[in-house]
Amino acid sequence: MPESDRTLRFTAPQWGAALVYSAEMRVVRWLIAGTVLCCGVAAADTYPLAITDAQRHQVEQISCRSRHALSVASIEGRRYGRGENAAATAEVHCVPHGMYRGRPIHYITQCSREHGQWSCQGEWTAITVDMDGAPLEARIEGQIAFEQADGIIRKIAHSGMFQGYPLRKVLVSPCYVHQGSERELIDVKCDGWHVIVSTWCPQSDCPRIFSLTKLGD
């Protein structure tokens, strides 16, 4: 097994098996600007994002205005080569469109540039969870309610140790919250850690920690 595919698994004893995403699924579903290199360019060839006014308008249109009738707040990313049309990835933040527990809610979209043209794929709704005075950004994908995502993050934070590892250390902002194909299972990914939380709890309080996996090494 390649070194990059090694994982550290922690699984709830009553289930007996860990759920672990393949390397391919991790790249597709959890693409974060600047962490995945584009088009075969080496890491040494990355540069700060350069974007023209026309391209900025294009990104704003396809990521914020056409989807939500909102303007763009920021575009942050990297380019992989020289020149304003070099391949690039960017994380696009739309302006806030609401409030959750006194803090702004906003959309975040993952976009990429090829041959001077931009396209956008994944999208999350970002809320802030108050972790005993320390704010943590939760990026929600799909139809998970804000209150449910908030509760799941707090459950992880206050669950102490899970098979020898302190769960509070897993929660490094931002955390991505996604409902899996099994609707009772919620994926939470933060800083290389993957926590699966179950909302089906016949013998314990809900939600409960199902498994903990260290992605990569």
Side-chain angles (χ1 to χ4, degrees):
M1 178 179 294
E3 189 73 20
S4 61
D5 286 347
R6 292 172 57 191
T7 59
L8 175 65
R9 298 176 178 85
F10 300 87
T11 309
Q14 62 266 40
W15 286 83
L19 297 183
V20 182
Y21 282 175
S22 68
E24 291 81 5
M25 290 176 68
R26 294 200 298 271
V27 169
V28 172
R29 296 203 58 81
W30 301 94
L31 178 65
I32 304 173
T35 64
V36 178
L37 299 186
C38 181
C39 310
V41 180
D45 295 323
T46 62
Y47 303 92
L49 180 64
I51 185 169
T52 65
D53 289 343
Q55 288 185 11
R56 180 182 175 86
H57 176 77
Q58 181 189 15
V59 172
E60 180 177 52
Q61 184 64 31
I62 61 179
S63 63
C64 297
R65 290 198 179 277
S66 63
R67 299 183 184 197
H68 308 293
L70 296 169
S71 59
V72 70
S74 65
I75 303 173
E76 302 172 358
R78 304 287 291 177
R79 58 189 166 102
Y80 307 102
R82 297 184 180 278
E84 63 186 28
N85 290 324
T89 58
E91 191 175 84
V92 182
H93 294 240
C94 302
V95 296
H97 61 277
M99 301 290 285
Y100 175 73
R101 296 190 173 181
R103 296 179 182 269
I105 304 166
H106 65 281
Y107 297 112
I108 300 172
T109 306
Q110 183 70 42
C111 300
S112 60
R113 181 174 63 195
E114 290 281 355
H115 308 295
Q117 295 298 311
W118 285 89
S119 61
C120 300
Q121 300 81 31
E123 180 179 85
W124 301 272
T125 304
I127 65 171
T128 300
V129 178
D130 187 355
M131 303 291 294
D132 300 321
L136 181 142
E137 183 178 81
R139 298 182 176 184
I140 303 168
E141 182 181 9
Q143 300 302 312
I144 301 175
F146 296 159
E147 292 79 7
Q148 184 182 20
D150 186 296
I152 286 171
I153 294 293
R154 292 173 184 273
K155 176 68 175 182
I156 295 171
H158 296 125
S159 290
M161 307 286 287
F162 186 80
Q163 296 194 354
Y165 195 85
L167 287 169
R168 182 63 182 86
K169 289 187 176 181
V170 170
L171 298 174
V172 178
S173 188
C175 289
Y176 294 81
V177 184
H178 167 73
Q179 189 168 50
S181 57
E182 299 293 334
R183 294 188 61 82
E184 69 271 15
L185 299 179
I186 306 297
D187 295 317
V188 180
K189 295 190 177 183
C190 318
D191 193 36
W193 286 96
H194 177 195
V195 185
I196 299 179
V197 177
S198 176
T199 58
W200 183 72
C201 317
Q203 298 177 338
S204 61
D205 294 335
C206 268
R208 66 186 178 87
I209 308 302
F210 176 82
S211 69
L212 172 65
T213 305
K214 182 70 169 75
L215 302 176
D217 195 28

